[in-house]
Amino acid sequence: MNFIKRAWLSLIAKKGRSFLLILVTSAIMLFVLAGLLIRNAADAATSNAKKNVGATLTLSANREAAFKKMRQGATGGTKPSLSMTPVKLSDVKQIANLNNVESYNLTSTTSVNAQSFEAISTSSSSGQSVMQGGGNMPGGDDKMTNSQGDIAVTGVSATSLTSNFTDNNYQITKGRGIKASDANTNNIIIESELAKQEGLKVGDTVKVKATSGSKTYQLTIVGIYKAPSTSTSTQMGPGATDPANTIYSSYTLANTIKGSKYANTADSVTFTVSDPAKVNSVKKAGKKLINTSKYSLSANDASYQSVKSSMNNVKSFADKIVWLVAIAGTIILALIVILMIRERRYEIGVLLSMGESRMKIIGQFFIEMFIVLVIAVGVAGVGGKFVGDKLGEQLVSQQASSTASNVNSQRPGNTDSGQGGPGGKAPNGQPGRNGGASFMGNNKADKTKLDVQVTPTNLAELGGFGLAIIFVSITLASGGILRLSPRKVLID
Amino acid sequence: MLTTKNLGYWYDRPENSLFTDINLEFEQGQSYAIVGQSGSGKTTFLSLIAGLEKPRVGEIDYNGHSINDIGLTKYRQQNVSIVFQSYNLLTYMSPLNNLLTAMAVTKSSHQGNQKYAKDMLRKLGLTDEQMTKNVQRLSGGQKQRVAIARTMCCDAKLVVADEPTGNLDEENTPRSNPTLPRNRPRTKSLCDHCYS
């Protein structure tokens, strides 16, 4: 009868002890596996975030340089005017050809006055009428309000590339979104509240009038979208700033409305970089292609960084769980094994007196614990996914809320709505530049989920970990006894 | 075969020696009895010659080689078989498995031979049912017989028995004693309180 069979006999003969050992080892393995799973899932989530959240570069007019020029141009009594240079499509194409630039979205915004329909009226809670279709802004200067229409036109390359739609803040409910093929057409999509108020549906046409001059445009509704029912304070601004009064079109239509000098231009362009880690190198290469005194190229990998940081925190926490459970597990198992081996001093003495080698005695204990470990790993494999899922959900939701509060505290007032406020003298009555895609994907960051999956590799990793634990435990436990002479072991 | 040279042993201090200067020679095929009062060191002496412990002073030679040089584990495994007063059986096993374990550990020529082990147990009065149930369910006398059978299953040249029949009744004592010599020329060293 060799030491392996002895180990088996010992486990079978002492069923109660074996059951308790399996129970304790399973509990330890379960937590170690949960930690390993969360750590691996956090790794996978970080690399997925790279693909899904991505990072963007925004090419737009250099506002800082424009303001500087405006101040320099100011003389005596004349009021200085801010002149912003729209982005040229030729520059955009050059940047788009750079490595790692996946896609780009042109944005051109303007405003018009509704003609064949009425814009949604927005009132403040005090009952003061803020905007009635096409009317003057209260308290504003005439020059500004005259150039501000009641309908905001956001021209884009495609709505599927626009942050509000990619984030699912806005959803197409009827018809379709704006596509690249809508370039040079008068196709638009309107908000569902506006459609409901005016009884408009897909296929209908509406007329709008330019804010300067008397030119009217007949637009075809190809889709209806739904903006979120909750709005931030800035979204609930007057007229065109209300999400319901925003229509999306191709950027070419917005440019046409703005005037012929805006042909082949855009207010801003958002480039999606395939690998967020490369965003800075793309930015550097892009800057060489543009006139930086007129344009600015800003990187935005905040979403990626946010997800990365969030997942790193989860991973670091999972690492701590693994280590903590491993250390606590080793201590608990070592104590149990020490007690078990002390209880078996007599058996050790008998075997030693017969001339059994110390290595084989240790081997017997090791085999016993190995059998226990195999069963425990099986139990952990079954329960690990459940525990990992629950623990992972908790960790991610905590991380998401802390990340969201950090992001919010870092960007007061940023609405990510695709429209700016009415302030400032934006050229040709543009309702101001939006944040574009500056925080595109933050929702994705918040919604990152850990995909906890138990794989054979995880189980092998866990088994390795368990083997290390039982090796240390048995060595610590049996070392003291096996140093003694057989007689001492038998007498004591 | 076995020689002790100036053997001495103490537990706490040398001045409280249990015994000193023991010079004995044990010849192959002979039986020896070590008799003495309780606490006189009989079991300790047997432990030393069985290689369960190292002497404080002196030396033990087996076939002209110091048992320390042979290695105590190897010496016990290949040359000595012990019958303990307290049986020292593996409690989670049956009598049969105890014998099979001892045969495997000592690399007996009958290693793995269940029939041989069973015959030995039968010879010592254990039934087939008794030899397959847990040893803890046996009486003291039956355990003692299992311990004796275990010794006899191994090929050791030296059998050391510490009060081997202390737990046996009168009927079973003679059954054990003829088993111990068997046919092989073994050296037996027995230790007891009385001369019976």
Side-chain angles (χ1 to χ4, degrees):
Chain A
M1 171 147 341
N2 59 29
F3 68 98
I4 298 170
K5 198 166 177 195
R6 273 204 320 263
W8 178 248
L9 277 180
S10 170
L11 279 176
I12 295 294
K14 295 177 178 174
K15 290 186 183 72
R17 188 196 66 187
S18 305
F19 178 72
L20 282 176
L21 266 177
I22 289 170
L23 214 64
V24 173
T25 315
S26 296
I28 293 166
M29 291 296 111
L30 196 66
F31 283 102
V32 173
L33 180 65
L36 287 174
L37 290 179
I38 293 169
R39 195 184 62 176
N40 292 347
D43 264 344
T46 311
S47 57
N48 280 343
K50 272 187 184 180
K51 290 175 197 158
N52 297 334
V53 176
T56 56
L57 284 172
T58 304
L59 176 65
S60 57
N62 189 337
R63 286 175 65 80
E64 200 181 332
F67 274 108
K68 203 173 168 187
K69 201 174 169 188
M70 180 187 82
R71 282 191 296 271
Q72 282 169 352
T75 54
T78 58
K79 205 171 180 183
S81 66
L82 180 67
S83 169
M84 305 275 267
T85 314
V87 176
K88 284 189 227 155
L89 285 191
S90 53
D91 288 340
V92 173
K93 280 174 185 162
Q94 283 190 67
I95 296 175
N97 285 334
L98 290 173
N99 280 341
N100 295 307
V101 175
E102 200 172 77
S103 60
Y104 64 92
N105 186 32
L106 302 159
T107 308
S108 190
T109 53
T110 187
S111 69
V112 289
N113 286 317
Q115 198 176 49
S116 66
F117 64 100
E118 278 190 24
I120 300 268
S121 300
T122 309
S123 300
S124 70
S125 59
S126 61
Q128 182 191 12
S129 176
V130 176
M131 186 73 195
Q132 292 290 338
N136 285 351
M137 298 270 292
D141 84 40
D142 286 343
K143 195 176 176 185
M144 186 193 88
T145 50
N146 280 339
S147 61
Q148 171 70 48
D150 52 8
I151 297 290
V153 180
T154 302
V156 293
S157 301
T159 45
S160 60
L161 295 170
T162 309
S163 62
N164 277 330
F165 290 91
T166 54
D167 289 353
N168 288 329
N169 284 336
Y170 290 8
Q171 282 174 330
I172 302 289
T173 52
K174 279 174 190 159
R176 60 170 179 84
I178 297 296
K179 298 192 286 193
S181 57
D182 288 316
N184 303 316
T185 67
N186 284 0
N187 292 343
I188 57 162
I189 60 169
I190 62 169
E191 210 278 326
S192 58
E193 288 301 327
L194 181 65
K196 208 182 285 173
Q197 178 188 284
E198 296 300 315
L200 296 170
K201 55 186 188 300
V202 173
D204 287 353
T205 55
V206 289
K207 272 187 184 169
V208 291
K209 188 171 173 286
T211 51
S212 56
S214 58
K215 200 164 184 188
T216 60
Y217 299 91
Q218 185 159 323
L219 312 176
T220 308
I221 301 167
V222 294
I224 292 170
Y225 72 90
K226 175 109 183 87
S229 51
T230 53
S231 295
T232 61
S233 57
T234 47
Q235 283 176 320
M236 290 174 71
T241 62
D242 190 293
N245 288 334
T246 300
I247 62 174
Y248 280 88
S249 69
S250 170
Y251 70 97
T252 53
L253 176 63
N255 286 345
T256 309
I257 295 168
K258 278 154 79 176
S260 56
K261 70 171 181 175
Y262 287 93
N264 293 322
T265 65
D267 293 346
S268 68
V269 186
T270 306
F271 298 93
T272 304
V273 180
S274 55
D275 183 355
K278 300 269 170 61
V279 74
N280 282 326
S281 65
V282 176
K283 182 184 168 186
K284 209 172 166 185
K287 275 192 165 179
K288 286 179 187 165
L289 302 172
I290 56 167
N291 180 352
T292 50
S293 65
K294 284 184 178 174
Y295 306 116
S296 75
L297 188 61
S298 56
N300 173 37
D301 60 349
S303 302
Y304 166 64
Q305 294 299 345
S306 157
V307 172
K308 196 176 151 190
S309 138
S310 168
M311 287 302 116
N312 278 348
N313 285 344
V314 171
K315 196 180 152 194
S316 139
F317 192 79
D319 271 340
K320 282 184 189 114
I321 292 178
V322 172
W323 282 111
L324 211 70
V325 173
I327 292 168
T330 309
I331 293 169
I332 294 167
L333 256 186
L335 288 174
I336 291 171
V337 173
I338 286 170
L339 286 174
M340 180 186 91
I341 290 178
R342 282 180 76 87
E343 176 214 335
R344 297 172 71 175
R345 280 175 76 98
Y346 166 80
E347 179 191 343
I348 295 172
V350 172
L351 289 167
L352 285 173
S353 71
M354 283 195 280
E356 183 65 303
S357 78
R358 285 169 165 80
M359 285 311 293
K360 282 187 180 171
I361 295 173
I362 291 178
Q364 180 187 335
F365 296 143
F366 196 80
I367 297 290
E368 283 178 30
M369 287 307 295
F370 180 76
I371 295 169
V372 167
L373 181 71
V374 169
I375 299 169
V377 167
V379 172
V382 173
K385 183 172 161 48
F386 178 75
V387 175
D389 270 337
K390 293 285 164 202
L391 210 57
E393 260 173 41
Q394 182 66 24
L395 283 173
V396 171
S397 71
Q398 275 174 0
Q399 280 306 318
S401 59
S402 87
T403 308
S405 65
N406 284 344
V407 170
N408 285 336
S409 67
Q410 284 165 14
R411 51 163 178 155
N414 191 328
T415 63
D416 191 16
S417 63
Q419 55 194 3
K425 287 189 172 181
N428 201 24
Q430 293 172 55
R433 272 170 221 281
N434 58 33
S438 59
F439 280 91
M440 184 172 103
N442 264 333
N443 280 357
K444 284 179 185 169
D446 295 347
K447 288 170 193 164
T448 302
K449 278 185 180 171
L450 292 182
D451 183 20
V452 178
Q453 292 293 337
V454 183
T455 63
T457 317
N458 292 139
L459 293 180
E461 212 175 351
L462 183 69
F465 219 96
L467 277 179
I469 292 180
I470 63 170
F471 180 78
V472 172
S473 305
I474 290 171
T475 310
L476 282 176
S478 51
I481 296 176
L482 290 170
R483 275 188 296 111
L484 301 173
S485 68
R487 183 161 184 257
K488 274 213 171 75
V489 177
L490 286 169
I491 288 174
D492 296 345
Chain B
M1 183 192 183
L2 190 77
T3 314
T4 67
K5 293 174 187 169
N6 305 317
L7 209 59
Y9 193 86
W10 61 83
Y11 282 101
D12 46 2
R13 286 191 297 253
E15 53 269 30
N16 294 337
S17 286
L18 204 54
F19 47 80
T20 52
D21 293 328
I22 304 283
N23 293 290
L24 292 171
E25 201 167 320
F26 299 90
E27 286 177 14
Q28 189 164 353
Q30 298 297 311
S31 296
Y32 298 88
I34 296 156
V35 184
Q37 288 178 329
S38 191
S40 60
K42 303 180 293 294
T43 300
T44 304
F45 178 76
L46 289 187
S47 297
L48 296 181
I49 61 170
L52 294 176
E53 199 163 1
K54 285 181 181 173
R56 299 284 188 182
V57 287
E59 206 170 87
I60 301 165
D61 287 354
Y62 179 79
N63 286 338
H65 301 284
S66 165
I67 61 170
N68 284 335
D69 294 343
I70 296 168
L72 294 184
T73 301
K74 195 177 171 189
Y75 170 69
R76 288 195 302 272
Q77 189 186 66
Q78 295 178 352
N79 306 296
V80 189
S81 198
I82 313 160
V83 183
F84 294 94
Q85 187 179 3
S86 51
Y87 333 122
N88 286 0
L89 299 171
L90 294 168
T91 53
Y92 57 88
M93 290 183 185
S94 65
L96 182 64
N97 281 334
N98 264 280
L99 265 62
L100 291 170
T101 298
M103 286 155 77
V105 170
T106 60
K107 297 182 172 67
S108 157
S109 55
H110 302 287
Q111 187 177 337
N113 188 342
Q114 282 205 24
K115 188 179 175 299
Y116 180 80
K118 280 182 179 174
D119 284 348
M120 190 62 71
L121 287 166
R122 279 192 204 107
K123 225 172 251 180
L124 283 160
L126 265 83
T127 63
D128 283 10
E129 192 197 340
Q130 284 167 339
M131 62 180 77
T132 51
K133 66 182 182 185
N134 190 284
V135 284
Q136 283 179 310
R137 295 165 76 182
L138 300 177
S139 69
Q142 287 165 334
K143 285 179 191 169
Q144 189 73 287
R145 278 179 273 156
V146 175
I148 293 167
R150 181 176 64 182
T151 298
M152 302 322 297
C153 277
C154 304
D155 299 334
K157 297 276 190 299
L158 177 67
V159 176
V160 175
D162 188 4
E163 299 191 42
T165 56
N167 291 303
L168 299 185
D169 51 35
E170 283 181 15
E171 189 190 333
N172 280 309
T173 302
R175 191 185 288 188
S176 305
N177 280 336
T179 318
L180 282 168
R182 283 182 54 84
N183 297 325
R184 256 175 262 151
R186 298 186 185 196
T187 302
K188 289 171 283 299
S189 180
L190 291 106
C191 156
D192 218 326
H193 297 291
C194 61
Y195 293 97
S196 62

